[in-house]
Amino acid sequence: MSASVLSPSGPLASVSGLLQVASLLSLVLLLIKAAQLYLHRQWLLKALQQFPCPPSHWLFGHSKEFQKNELQQVLKWVEKFPTASPRWFWGTKAIFVVYDPDYMKVVLGRSDPKAHGTYRLLAPWIGYGLLLLNGQPWFQHRRMLTPAFHYDILKPYVGFMADSVRVMLDKWQQLSGQNPRVEVFEYVSLMTLDSIMKSAFSHQGSVQTDRSSQSYIQAIEDIKNLFFSRVRNAFHQNDTVYSMTPSGRRYLRACQVAHEHTDQVIRQRKAHLQKEGELEKISKKRHLDFLDILLRARMENGDSLSDADLRAEVDTFMFEGHDTTASGISWILYALATHPEHQQRCREELQGLLGDGASLSWDHLDQMPYTTMCIKEALRLYPPVPGISRELSKPVTFPDGRSLPEGITVSLSIYGLHHNPNVWPNPEVFDPSRFAPGTARHSHAFLPFSGGSRNCIGKQFAMNEMKVAVALTLLHFKLAPDPSRVPVPNAKVVLMSANGIHLRLTKLQ
Ligand code: HEM
Ligand SMILES: *[C@@H]1O[C@H](CO)[C@@H](O)[C@H](O)[C@H]1NC(C)=O
């Protein structure tokens, strides 16, 4: 008996034969995979050879350098390579990072698709809406949605924005003590979510006190953190593999929570429309909002938007419409808190224009030049979207003669551009006079909203909201930093702070 186990014969022999063939086959497959990876690495090395970068490990790339504080590291690289530099994530993944306005102009003037490897990781969350779509489908959606940002539509939104800001300021008024301390990002996120829900989705309800809004915002934060880690993990690229890891499962759960929020918005509206009957009747009663435009939209071929497309757009705008402005407003308030002289000058301008702010309206928004300069300077130092990327669909040659082949992933570092000493002298200094009317600068030196055909569709909405929030806040509070908790900028899809943004408030009047 023991002999037959040691030297199998009959059916066992054929099993062991099969096993041998199978292991030989896997060995061959493994070798083929290794050869592919090797060749891909050689191709990347050659493609990027005209562009120097700090030495990188053959397997770990530059991951060690970027481990501690990524944006701090970006600043060091910008000083050394002010135009662009390759960055290796691991042995077979490198991207080309751009910090230079001329290079930005070339890339944004083309129509390369969004970098698939990066943006696709956001698809389980925001789907293929305007942000992720490419080519003809993107073009159709962009054309369909552009009317939703016409100024006739944006005008009444100013009132909703002001209402949302007042709810937030009331919460701050009720905090005890003469100098309450607040982590502003948390409050501002709820406020901007409230504002986009009221304006784009005509939602009625108290978003800023709802439990469900808080769980939506928490889910978004989880998603952003998990996305950040996934991009940097070679083993988490494959969707099937990722979905079996603890992070992958957490990611999908967080997406589910986010979708519950947006599904509810769609469900409520559809139910409401059924009650009212015709869609057209609705638009006469209240402002025509983003969701109406989506529901009424007929694509070129006459079909209405599929449920999946609708959901993707609602998820995209729910996120883009609140998280970016939350980042923007929080960092602007921080910038003003750390520069009391500019803060006071804004306040005087705003008091002269608005009194106590009770009648703030659309017409006021272009009458606050100094405040606008400060907002822009804060967007330069703290761009809410710190970087975007594209995948070259054809070779490119830059004005200095250097070139890249098709297939390279190009990352446009907006943060790097805005902190580039070749573009902005003394880049770390907050100096609103850089944006004084009539000051000349390169067309692509300041790109908080990106540029070209795929620029931010919500730019005007965002500028309005930031002005309303800054104006009303400065009229009611004096802001100071919390010296024991200096924020650490952190690029998590949008610009966050690793330790929150803590301010000390002084109630005015
Ligand atoms: C301060 C606030 C904001 C900043 C800094 C910002 C910045 C940007 C940037 C840099 C892009 C280009 C993304 C890329 O190339 O991958 C973009 C695109 C986009 N933004 Fe914004 N955004 C802001 C607010 C908003 C708001 C309020 C909305 C909606 C109400 C919005 C909706 C979008 C959409 C849908 C796109 C994709 C446009 C397209 O590809 O056609 N954004 N934004
Ligand atoms: C991901 O992994 C699964 C299982 O290992 C495999 O079947 C699939 O082909 C992989 N997908 C990609 C896109 O590589």
Side-chain angles (χ1 to χ4, degrees):
M1 214 170 91
S2 62
S4 72
V5 169
L6 287 175
S7 54
S9 61
L12 275 184
S14 60
V15 166
S16 99
L18 268 178
L19 278 176
Q20 270 174 14
V21 172
S23 50
L24 204 69
L25 213 71
S26 5
L27 191 69
V28 170
L29 286 177
L30 210 68
L31 283 174
I32 292 177
K33 188 75 196 161
Q36 273 175 350
L37 290 174
Y38 176 77
L39 288 176
H40 183 65
R41 178 174 164 80
Q42 293 308 111
W43 175 79
L44 272 172
L45 282 167
K46 183 153 176 288
L48 298 167
Q49 68 186 356
Q50 292 171 295
F51 300 92
C53 65
S56 71
H57 187 274
W58 69 272
L59 183 58
F60 302 117
H62 294 115
S63 39
K64 212 171 150 198
E65 287 187 52
F66 281 92
Q67 219 159 39
K68 252 205 194 141
N69 181 328
E70 261 203 37
L71 289 176
Q72 213 53 45
Q73 191 63 29
V74 168
L75 295 187
K76 286 189 198 150
W77 281 33
V78 173
E79 265 184 47
K80 262 191 262 176
F81 311 99
T83 308
S85 57
R87 172 177 166 191
W88 289 82
F89 281 77
W90 53 82
T92 54
K93 184 179 173 187
I95 61 172
F96 181 75
V97 191
V98 173
Y99 319 106
D100 171 80
D102 285 322
Y103 272 47
M104 298 262 173
K105 190 172 172 185
V106 169
V107 176
L108 291 173
R110 297 163 38 114
S111 51
D112 304 292
K114 301 279 173 97
H116 180 70
T118 316
Y119 286 82
R120 83 180 168 88
L121 308 182
L122 298 173
W125 167 31
I126 52 174
Y128 284 88
L130 203 55
L131 191 67
L132 301 197
L133 281 171
N134 287 305
Q136 197 57 25
W138 164 76
F139 184 76
Q140 285 183 348
H141 279 229
R142 179 93 184 195
R143 193 150 74 182
M144 173 183 87
L145 290 169
T146 296
F149 293 88
H150 188 275
Y151 83 84
D152 278 340
I153 296 205
L154 295 186
K155 237 173 163 171
Y157 288 2
V158 172
F160 299 130
M161 289 166 178
D163 288 345
S164 300
V165 175
R166 289 190 188 105
V167 171
M168 178 180 81
L169 298 179
D170 279 348
K171 286 192 195 171
W172 289 355
Q173 292 287 1
Q174 277 150 31
L175 295 173
S176 58
Q178 184 51 35
N179 295 107
R181 288 162 195 248
V182 291
E183 197 287 300
V184 284
F185 203 96
E186 203 182 303
Y187 285 96
V188 176
S189 299
L190 277 169
M191 185 276 284
T192 55
L193 183 65
D194 187 16
S195 158
I196 193 86
M197 293 275 284
K198 282 203 190 94
S199 44
F201 301 103
S202 301
H203 179 83
Q204 285 152 353
S206 39
V207 170
Q208 295 186 63
T209 48
D210 276 358
R211 266 272 170 74
S212 73
S213 322
Q214 265 152 25
S215 49
Y216 172 73
I217 284 172
Q218 182 58 52
I220 303 274
E221 195 177 332
D222 284 350
I223 289 172
K224 290 184 296 187
N225 283 324
L226 290 160
F227 168 82
F228 179 88
S229 315
R230 186 176 177 196
V231 169
R232 286 152 185 78
N233 187 332
F235 303 105
H236 283 179
Q237 300 303 300
N238 178 304
D239 285 344
T240 317
V241 174
Y242 186 62
S243 69
M244 291 186 301
T245 66
S247 301
R249 284 201 297 270
R250 208 165 147 210
Y251 185 82
L252 293 175
R253 256 202 317 275
C255 289
Q256 233 170 38
V257 173
H259 292 158
E260 276 162 25
H261 173 80
T262 45
D263 275 341
Q264 196 198 350
V265 170
I266 298 172
R267 246 194 340 264
Q268 279 177 357
R269 175 63 62 87
K270 281 191 168 163
H272 191 65
L273 289 180
Q274 260 151 21
K275 240 184 2 211
E276 296 274 336
E278 302 275 318
L279 262 164
E280 282 68 23
K281 278 190 212 151
I282 295 284
S283 52
K284 292 207 187 87
K285 281 188 209 146
R286 54 167 170 71
H287 72 282
L288 187 71
D289 74 2
F290 170 78
L291 197 50
D292 294 319
I293 289 177
L294 281 177
L295 288 167
R296 298 214 302 192
R298 294 283 179 274
M299 300 301 283
E300 308 287 270
N301 58 11
D303 296 337
S304 65
L305 221 54
S306 75
D307 279 353
D309 282 351
L310 178 72
R311 239 280 290 283
E313 292 302 358
V314 171
D315 279 315
T316 298
F317 280 80
M318 191 71 76
F319 157 61
E320 273 280 332
H322 97 277
D323 207 29
T324 47
T325 50
S327 164
I329 292 165
S330 304
W331 283 108
I332 293 162
L333 296 182
Y334 174 71
L336 292 171
T338 44
H339 297 88
E341 66 290 4
H342 298 298
Q343 183 188 148
Q344 186 52 27
R345 202 170 150 190
C346 289
R347 184 173 294 113
E348 281 159 18
E349 175 181 81
L350 294 162
Q351 283 166 339
L353 178 69
L354 299 166
D356 66 353
S359 62
L360 171 72
S361 74
W362 166 275
D363 294 324
H364 293 122
L365 299 183
D366 59 3
Q367 296 178 49
M368 37 179 90
Y370 199 74
T371 308
T372 307
M373 284 160 61
C374 289
I375 291 175
K376 287 185 179 165
E377 175 64 345
L379 290 175
R380 180 189 68 80
L381 269 178
Y382 307 108
V385 176
I388 60 179
S389 51
R390 300 288 186 267
E391 193 167 311
L392 296 182
S393 59
K394 51 184 197 294
V396 63
T397 301
F398 293 106
D400 62 9
R402 292 187 287 181
S403 58
L404 292 169
E406 172 190 338
I408 291 292
T409 298
V410 176
S411 160
L412 304 181
S413 176
I414 297 173
Y415 192 84
L417 171 76
H418 287 182
H419 290 254
N420 189 335
N422 286 13
V423 184
W424 300 98
N426 303 317
E428 300 313 312
V429 175
F430 180 82
D431 177 7
S433 74
R434 298 180 205 265
F435 291 94
T439 314
R441 67 170 167 273
H442 190 296
S443 64
H444 286 65
F446 179 61
L447 295 175
F449 298 104
S450 182
S453 58
R454 296 217 65 167
N455 69 349
C456 177
I457 197 173
K459 174 182 168 173
Q460 193 62 46
F461 180 107
M463 281 305 292
N464 293 349
E465 187 163 271
M466 292 188 289
K467 286 178 184 175
V468 171
V470 170
L472 293 179
T473 304
L474 292 190
L475 289 177
H476 293 95
F477 292 95
K478 213 162 125 182
L479 311 173
D482 179 344
S484 66
R485 284 180 288 195
V486 177
V488 179
N490 199 352
K492 297 276 171 84
V493 189
V494 304
L495 193 73
M496 308 281 289
S497 162
N499 53 347
I501 300 179
H502 296 269
L503 298 184
R504 286 183 308 147
L505 309 174
T506 306
K507 300 168 191 173
L508 293 172
Q509 285 143 21

